[in-house]
Amino acid sequence: MTESKRKTVGRPAGNGKAASGHSQSLVRGLNILEGLAAAPGGLALSDIAQIVGLAPSTTHRLLQALHQQGFIAQDAEMGVWHIDAKTFRVGNAFLEARDFVATARPFLHQLTAETEETANLGIRDQGMAVFLAQSESPQMMRMITRLGSRAPLHASGVGKALLAWLPRDEVERILHTRGLDKVTPNTLDTPSRLRDALGEIRRQGYACDREEHAIGLNCVAATLHDENGLPLAAISVSGPAARIPEARLAELGGLVSRAAREITTRLGGRLPSAQD
């Protein structure tokens, strides 16, 4: 092998400038997908251009490339863009690769059978709770969460269950970055109230959302822990406050926390103590 050939082994074809341009386009395309994933109703070209910080003409070329590959589609009537089936398949591969979703699913169904309320599983992502799996209540009036939807960590049962077992410095960083927006009049919107609530969650083993994310909706959640005792995910039972009054929260908390412990054990996780 000559010296000139040795220098090119393992390098991508083309010059550095072209490679950099391709990388920049890839990043912009991924930013577009993230923006569309966060907008169930779709986004207009002008909104997408603002997200990626590009001229509408450049943005349109990126949209066409993603469309040709099957990742996004355009509503012909409304003119807005939204994610398409291929993006869903890529995202679904994440769920299949993470054992905790498949492991938790039978427990979600069991919780729904025991409580006749909707059971959910969520994780933490970029300072928000993201819902990945659900077992719907058979009741006519029930709580339904779109899979992939997000909720503030401080204003949701799943979110508070995840926050409660994070290292203190990480909780402080999230609060500093995300703030404590008042979603409903019941939202815990001061650091002191939230810290007190997180301490109570650690002591009792489950979190309660008392109409803090949506008026008329109560929720009880508990944490799934990884091998280091850190929060991997959280499961919850949610329903109308009329069917889940204050008097029922402790009963549901026992059911949800027991299921969370069993899932954690099956996953090889470690159950931390309140003093950890």
Side-chain angles (χ1 to χ4, degrees):
M1 182 181 294
T2 65
E3 183 64 25
S4 61
K5 287 184 179 179
R6 287 194 189 98
K7 291 180 179 179
T8 61
V9 172
R11 297 183 182 179
N15 57 37
K17 183 177 180 180
S20 176
H22 292 154
S23 298
Q24 190 176 50
S25 295
L26 176 60
V27 170
R28 289 168 173 172
L30 292 173
N31 288 339
I32 289 175
L33 289 178
E34 285 188 348
L36 291 175
L43 292 172
L45 172 61
S46 57
D47 296 324
I48 300 169
Q50 188 172 8
I51 288 174
V52 293
L54 297 172
S57 57
T58 305
T59 304
H60 189 261
R61 285 196 294 272
L62 290 171
L63 289 170
Q64 288 297 328
L66 290 169
H67 175 58
Q68 289 170 7
Q69 294 298 317
F71 287 103
I72 64 174
Q74 186 177 32
D75 186 315
E77 184 176 346
M78 302 295 293
V80 297
W81 293 87
H82 55 82
I83 60 172
D84 207 354
K86 194 169 185 179
T87 301
F88 174 79
R89 289 197 298 272
V90 172
N92 200 47
F94 166 78
L95 302 185
E96 294 174 355
R98 298 300 299 267
D99 288 343
F100 67 84
V101 178
T103 302
R105 209 176 294 277
F107 290 90
L108 298 182
H109 293 317
Q110 181 62 31
L111 283 171
T112 295
E114 291 175 336
T115 66
E116 294 198 336
E117 301 296 348
T118 297
N120 298 288
L121 179 144
I123 62 170
R124 179 173 60 95
D125 179 61
Q126 298 180 351
M128 300 284 282
V130 183
F131 295 93
L132 300 184
Q134 183 176 86
S135 172
E136 286 189 23
S137 164
Q139 302 279 358
M140 182 175 295
M141 295 288 292
R142 60 185 183 270
M143 179 269 195
I144 298 177
T145 299
R146 183 179 61 84
L147 298 186
S149 64
R150 294 170 176 260
L153 289 175
H154 72 285
S156 60
V158 163
K160 290 194 294 181
L162 292 167
L163 276 179
W165 298 99
L166 286 174
R168 185 171 301 176
D169 59 345
E170 190 165 356
V171 173
E172 295 300 324
R173 180 183 60 78
I174 291 172
L175 298 185
H176 177 74
T177 303
R178 285 285 177 179
L180 295 171
D181 292 339
K182 201 170 182 67
V183 183
T184 77
N186 298 325
T187 303
L188 305 179
D189 60 346
T190 67
S192 60
R193 291 180 66 198
L194 181 61
R195 291 189 191 102
D196 288 345
L198 298 183
E200 182 182 13
I201 293 166
R202 291 168 70 96
R203 288 189 296 272
Q204 68 187 12
Y206 60 89
C208 294
D209 168 2
R210 299 173 171 89
E211 301 185 74
E212 297 161 40
H213 185 242
I215 293 298
L217 182 71
N218 280 344
C219 171
V220 177
T223 315
L224 312 183
H225 298 274
D226 66 15
E227 64 277 8
N228 298 310
L230 295 173
L232 174 66
I235 58 173
S236 68
V237 166
S238 304
R243 289 203 306 268
I244 305 182
E246 183 71 26
R248 197 183 177 199
L249 293 179
E251 171 204 344
L252 295 180
L255 292 174
V256 174
S257 58
R258 183 182 66 198
R261 288 194 299 271
E262 290 185 28
I263 298 168
T264 294
T265 300
R266 290 198 182 193
L267 293 171
R270 180 177 69 83
L271 296 169
S273 68
Q275 288 72 41
D276 282 358

